Amino acid sequence: MTDFIDKLRAIVGERGLITDPQGMHSYLTDWRENYLGTALAVVRPASTEEVAAVVKLCLAEKVAIVPQGGNTGMMGGGTPLEAGREIVLSLGRMNRILEVDAIGYTMTVEAGVVLKTIQETAAEHDRLFPLSLAAEGSCTIGGNLATNAGGVQVLHYGNARQLVLGLEVVTPQGEIWNGLRALKKDNTGYDLRDLHLGAEGTLGIITRAVLKLWPKPKDTATSWIAVSSPEAAVALLSGAYAASEDNVTSCELMSRQGIDLVLKHIPGSTDPLAQSHQWYVLLEWASTRARRAGANETALAEKMEAYLGEALDKGLVLDAALAQNEAQARALWALRENHSEAQKREGPSIKHDISVSVSKIPAFMTEGLAAMTKVLPQCRPVPFGHVGDGNLHFNCQAPPGWDKPRFMAYAEPISTAVYDLVVRHGGSISAEHGIGQLKVDELAHYRSQVELDTMRTIKRALDPANLMNPGKIIRL
Ligand code: FAD
Ligand code: MLT
Ligand code: ZN
């Protein structure tokens, strides 16, 4: 094994190699600390050529590779297996913005660029890269593409798959596939790019990408809205499309349980409304039309206020606070974005990242809450999520005082109850977080034989040695 490590060192240099247990530790566990894996080394190449050389070496030595970006994934996809003969290949040093084409609305980046850096770079060029999620300060674009990440603006701009034009990928054979094409039209046979989006590093390593950019919004309105029920939230959203002239960019649903956890665990959080309510919506509209010169309020804010006034009269809205400036909007967003962190600080949780069609959310919510509490009456449901695109984080917190092993004994029956219901409603058991190692059995159970066989055929054809993130998504 010293020989293998020496060969790795010869490719990536001393700076690109971590072998001591302390230095490796954070790469061997996931954000939720559900998994702790082992690895022969953490390898941090500085270029596509180095990635390719590492892959060729691993193929020759039959060592498996776990690609890793910001390690914020929720499914353990970037964590090596417990007893695997694997390396972690971290893209963190490949973090250059290679080109911004403001005229053509594209940006070419290396896979290890942190999402926030991409957003900021786009903004400096008066452009928008719309992928937005709470982990944006540490997740990388390579990880976002490999998981086909969603986030809070999917209803308007689409998920990661819709935000990318071209990819460069190192194949399981260590070849470099240059698909870095900035083309909106390209009908040239099977779409190799799409194969890698959402593949969670099981088919190759994304090393570069050409991303799409949009015009930067010039006018934004953000409101924190108390609603009587998920049904009211969905009705509010439905009317908002026309009222905003198709400018709805986010619609997030939260429950009182989630807000209470954020207020408890995130210093500086305050409840925007005087009274406590059971359900909340964070609604954002954004337009590329500039604010009216000299006007006190933005054009969108005026429209939103009028719309919420009507909704109040109809009983859809119980109370609302419209952000008066950017700082207030950021504070409202922090209440939403800190849900995951607050859940983590509160203790063990079981997460279900599911989707159903938007109009089925109210029925799913009622039936899902009943199903979850039927299995464990003391569990504390914390449902929230991207209601605008039908994606709920149908999460559930351990009863107070319960430790992880005690609570996790209920994980399987609770999740089965939830996923069975999702399937009955025609939904998906993974909306945006992927499969990783956490949902391998669920995917095998809920997807049809023909889909699983097709996935296995693709995996075997592209990675016959099964060295690309083995044990993730599907078992061969
Ligand atoms: P990692 O965690 O490092 O890896 C994720 C997967 O991608 C692994 O399977 C890994 O092997 C593979 N991978 C990573 N880089 C590459 C590469 N270059 N080539 C090939 N495979 C690769 N996700 C959402 O979709 N929406 C949300 O709203 C959201 N909110 C979140 C909030 C918090 C607080 C946290 C902690 C996470 C959240 N996530 C969300 C999950 C996570 O941020 C995303 O899945 C993100 O896309 C992962 O990016 P990463 O760089 O951290 O990838
Ligand atoms: C989010 O949208 O905040 C995360 O994807 C949800 C989660 O942590 O379950
Ligand atoms: Zn989410």
Side-chain angles (χ1 to χ4, degrees), residues 74 336 340 351 384 386 393 395 432-433:
M74 294 281 184
R336 161 62 185 91
S340 303
K351 286 180 188 264
F384 63 97
H386 319 289
H393 298 303
N395 299 345
E432 58 171 10
H433 293 163

Side-chain angles (χ1 to χ4, degrees), residues 118-382:
I118 294 173
Q119 296 167 345
E120 287 170 352
T121 306
E124 282 161 19
H125 290 79
D126 199 28
R127 299 290 178 263
L128 174 78
F129 184 64
L131 186 63
S132 175
L133 45 136
E136 63 200 22
S138 35
C139 64
T140 62
I141 192 67
N144 300 147
L145 296 172
T147 57
N148 187 24
V152 296
Q153 303 202 100
V154 170
L155 82 168
H156 196 73
Y157 297 98
N159 49 18
R161 190 183 292 279
Q162 274 91 48
L163 312 181
V164 61
L165 290 173
L167 290 183
E168 177 189 78
V169 173
V170 172
T171 71
Q173 289 69 41
E175 304 298 333
I176 299 169
W177 169 56
N178 185 344
L180 275 180
R181 294 184 274 262
L183 302 176
K184 289 206 170 160
K185 287 187 155 182
D186 182 17
N187 280 354
T188 48
Y190 301 136
D191 196 326
L192 302 183
R193 176 198 62 185
D194 266 7
L195 263 186
H196 292 280
L197 303 170
E200 302 181 51
T202 60
L203 300 178
I205 300 166
I206 299 169
T207 45
R208 294 181 182 196
V210 184
L211 307 173
K212 284 192 213 169
L213 301 178
W214 274 256
K216 190 174 153 194
K218 298 285 189 283
D219 187 7
T220 302
T222 312
S223 274
W224 184 262
I225 306 158
V227 292
S228 55
S229 62
E231 206 162 5
V234 166
L236 188 71
L237 168 66
S238 177
Y241 288 115
S244 69
E245 295 168 2
D246 204 13
N247 285 310
V248 181
T249 47
S250 293
C251 183
E252 299 286 311
L253 179 71
M254 287 150 285
S255 72
R256 187 70 221 172
Q257 288 80 355
I259 304 304
D260 283 341
L261 290 183
V262 174
L263 296 176
K264 177 176 170 189
H265 291 291
I266 309 295
S269 306
T270 51
D271 195 332
L273 301 176
Q275 278 188 342
S276 172
H277 298 273
Q278 180 52 36
W279 296 103
Y280 297 90
V281 167
L282 180 55
L283 184 65
E284 191 157 278
W285 299 355
S287 159
T288 49
R289 235 158 98 182
R291 298 167 183 215
R292 285 178 296 137
N296 287 334
E297 274 190 308
T298 67
L300 272 186
E302 273 173 21
K303 280 193 196 117
M304 188 181 268
E305 203 168 0
Y307 177 62
L308 293 180
E310 284 166 26
L312 197 80
D313 293 341
K314 285 185 201 153
L316 280 182
V317 164
L318 303 175
D319 197 1
L322 203 137
Q324 300 301 314
N325 50 46
E326 231 183 287
Q328 284 184 9
R330 268 201 305 274
L332 298 182
W333 269 110
L335 285 172
R336 161 62 185 91
E337 298 285 37
N338 278 315
H339 269 58
S340 303
E341 184 61 41
Q343 274 212 281
K344 187 172 165 177
R345 292 186 192 178
E346 177 70 5
S349 67
I350 298 169
K351 286 180 188 264
H352 306 102
D353 162 46
I354 62 96
S355 63
V356 292
S357 64
V358 174
S359 47
K360 289 190 172 155
I361 287 217
F364 176 83
M365 187 70 85
T366 309
E367 293 166 37
L369 292 175
M372 207 137 76
T373 46
K374 190 175 171 200
V375 178
L376 181 62
Q378 313 95 297
C379 79
R380 294 180 289 161
V382 186

